[in-house]
Amino acid sequence: MKMSIFDLSLKELENFSARCSGKKFNARQVMKWIYSGSIYDFNKMTDISKTFRKKLIASMDTTLPEILNSSLERDNNGLSIKYLLRLKDGETVESVFMDHGKRKTLCVSSQVGCKMQCIFCTTGNFGFKRNLTSGEILAQLLVVKNKTGDKISNVVFMGMGEPLDNFEEVKKALDIISDANFIGIAPRRITISTCGIMNRLSEILNGSKYKYKFAISLNAVTNSLRDQLMPVNKKFPIESILETVNRTKPSIHNKITIEYVLIKGINDHIEDAKGLIKMFSPRTVKFNIIPFNNPEMNLNINYERSDDKTAVEFGNKLVKAGFTVTLRHSRAQGINGGCGQLKSKNMNIKNITAV
Ligand code: SAH
């Protein structure tokens, strides 16, 4: 069986090139055609010898996932399109393209399903199928770029799955996404959102190559509530999040974002906002407040979104304490394209807009 070319790192393709053509630098040329030029036909790669092109054709597959379905929603802030993509083995994932004019963000999935079982999240309620390969992560950008004809300016890992539970593949995809010669999206325009796998996040933040933006889904100010909402809290409680956040010295560009899904009557009291203010400093974090998105289907999720008034008051309390706050409406709600609503074909994210 042929190998998907999208699954290969630059190094891996260099090894292949060195073996087959004797020219390691062919790898860069091929990857430039693919990722920067959107050319997937090896025969069109005119700066590469015909012999090597033949070898590439014989061993590498350049098929991209098929778009099974897309749904579009327009609002005051722009356009959201949710794509359902079919992977080689028949599994499906969703990606959401949010076109806000200059800023064109793609929300990508990192796994088919998720192991984390946050009780308010549709993806989590469907369980875990498998990790995506780096090629399948990258392919989401390629398919959407080819379909819309737009240049994606920002990427958020807020689709299906827990990116830090599949970080090897996410990292491999990021190397190509952020390489100026290939897809070329600057690391400061890439956000990785985690439910809080703190040992891994600490490791990454401590690494010398820490350059992406990170977001932590907190969603509660007490361990007892967070234990209920997010089972991961039993292993990595709120203290472990604070410890990592306080140890990280962010620049203006890479403050950690604390995500907080507002659920009516559960975590949307003014006391909860005060709890957040006590816990964090405006110098180190900013907040992303996401009103809860109702699942489209009848899952066992018995929560409601907070009223707009409550959400605005909650956000304002944080703003008054000096924090930068984004309050996200569920922009793609009509298409179940909001946070936590993404699923496989049989499974579904919701979006947002700054108020
Ligand atoms: N696993 C990662 C990324 C995927 S979830 C994480 O947990 O961060 C992306 C964001 O959507 C998270 O902040 C999550 O808390 C939020 N989310 C999940 N379900 C939601 C729902 N039903 N309504 C609103 N936001 C939700």
Side-chain angles (χ1 to χ4, degrees), residues 120-121 158-159 161-162 193-195 217 219 259 261 292-293 339-340:
F120 49 84
C121 175
M158 296 185 189
E162 168 50 48
S193 174
T194 176
C195 64
S217 303
N219 300 336
E259 291 166 287
V261 177
F292 171 72
N293 294 313
C339 298

